Amino acid sequence: MCGRYVMARAVGDLLAEFDAELEDEVSIPPSWNVAPTDPVPIVLERLVDGESGNRHVRQLHAARWGLVPSWAKDPGIGSRMINARSESVLEKPAFRKAMQSRRCAVPADGYYEWKQGPGKSKQPYYVHPGVGHGLVFAGLYEWWKDPSWPAGEPGGWLLSTSILTTDTPPPGSESTVFGKLTALHDRVPLPMDKATMQAWLDPQADDPAGLVDLVRAGVKDGAADWQVESVGKEVGNVRNNGPELIRPVEALF
């Protein structure tokens, strides 16, 4: 988890929902089949000089899904960095600097998982929250400078992101959503509520280990209302994209 997700809300709706602003105009079309290296919306906070001192500014940006470390020779490494394990994010060279000061929120409507069936058959499932609200995952972002970009010319920077994951909460009983999630995968993306997101985004926070503990502690409450629904196999092809992909269907097995 997670290798595909849904983010179909319009940029204007995201700006209102997160009380964010744009530094530059962005165009992020709605997608019901977000795949690695696709452009996705992220929310971050920056310190900006003002007349009365520094102030926090919350911004919406478009980032490539799959974090590209600043030291990477080329952006290809990012396709293997779509997720960051929260247990080791403070030690891994690709993530530890971003964890210190480049934390973001990754909006989503839901995500997909596949369950292995007989032979080569797989059944896709759509995991999403209850009606009336979307998801916000804990994420990291990084800026990468293209070494081939002409010196002195503006541009050449790539903004990329990764979603933090953790162990799937134990089910307690097979009738809970956690039993269904465990049957699909042993990892889940880390959701955040409003208060946790506020702490996570704070650019002046100086306790990254404490922030990791904070988001990990909220996973069970954050995922308590998630629903797991079987969907059609068309989602397995990245060229397919539309609201019909999240329409529930009868499971194959």
Side-chain angles (χ1 to χ4, degrees):
M1 187 295 122
C2 71
R4 299 280 184 84
Y5 71 96
V6 176
M7 180 62 262
R9 279 170 280 169
V11 168
D13 292 337
L14 293 173
L15 292 173
E17 178 180 348
F18 292 96
D19 192 21
E21 59 185 47
L22 294 175
E23 183 176 47
D24 299 300
E25 288 298 318
V26 298
S27 176
I28 311 172
S31 178
W32 289 264
N33 202 358
V34 177
T37 74
D38 282 352
V40 299
I42 65 170
V43 178
L44 56 89
E45 285 190 7
R46 297 175 57 192
L47 281 176
V48 177
D49 291 335
E51 293 182 358
S52 57
N54 291 339
R55 63 186 181 93
H56 290 203
V57 176
R58 184 172 294 181
Q59 297 177 334
L60 180 75
H61 289 260
R64 173 171 159 160
W65 187 26
L67 189 138
V68 181
S70 60
W71 44 259
K73 293 182 179 179
D74 64 75
I77 190 175
S79 62
R80 305 194 300 274
M81 304 285 185
I82 60 172
N83 295 152
R85 294 177 70 93
S86 57
E87 300 87 344
S88 58
V89 73
L90 292 167
E91 289 81 37
K92 293 293 184 180
F95 302 120
R96 61 191 178 198
K97 286 188 176 181
M99 185 58 224
Q100 294 286 336
S101 58
R102 290 182 288 278
R103 298 174 299 274
C104 66
V106 183
D109 296 328
Y111 69 95
Y112 298 104
E113 286 289 2
W114 278 259
K115 186 177 182 180
Q116 184 67 51
K120 295 183 179 180
S121 63
K122 291 184 178 182
Q123 172 63 58
Y125 286 83
Y126 180 49
V127 182
H128 62 94
V131 176
H133 64 94
L135 293 169
V136 184
F137 297 138
L140 304 173
Y141 69 94
E142 189 60 272
W143 291 97
W144 178 79
K145 179 68 172 178
D146 185 348
S148 67
W149 199 264
E153 291 194 14
W157 290 95
L158 173 67
L159 176 62
S160 60
T161 190
S162 183
I163 296 171
L164 267 69
T165 67
T166 190
D167 290 332
T168 303
S173 77
E174 290 305 314
S175 62
T176 71
V177 67
F178 302 113
K180 296 178 181 179
L181 291 172
T182 300
L184 290 179
H185 204 285
D186 61 356
R187 307 287 296 178
V188 292
L190 273 169
M192 298 189 292
D193 60 20
K194 188 173 182 179
T196 300
M197 184 185 72
Q198 182 70 34
W200 181 258
L201 294 181
D202 185 354
Q204 293 181 298
D206 59 0
D207 182 14
L211 289 173
V212 172
D213 290 342
L214 177 66
V215 294
R216 284 170 55 84
V219 62
K220 196 154 191 175
D221 287 341
D225 74 333
W226 289 4
Q227 301 175 27
V228 179
E229 297 176 323
S230 52
V231 294
K233 59 183 175 57
E234 292 79 11
V235 70
N237 188 331
V238 296
R239 290 175 293 184
N240 295 328
N241 203 321
E244 67 278 1
L245 295 181
I246 62 173
R247 187 176 301 133
V249 301
E250 184 176 353
L252 299 173
F253 49 84

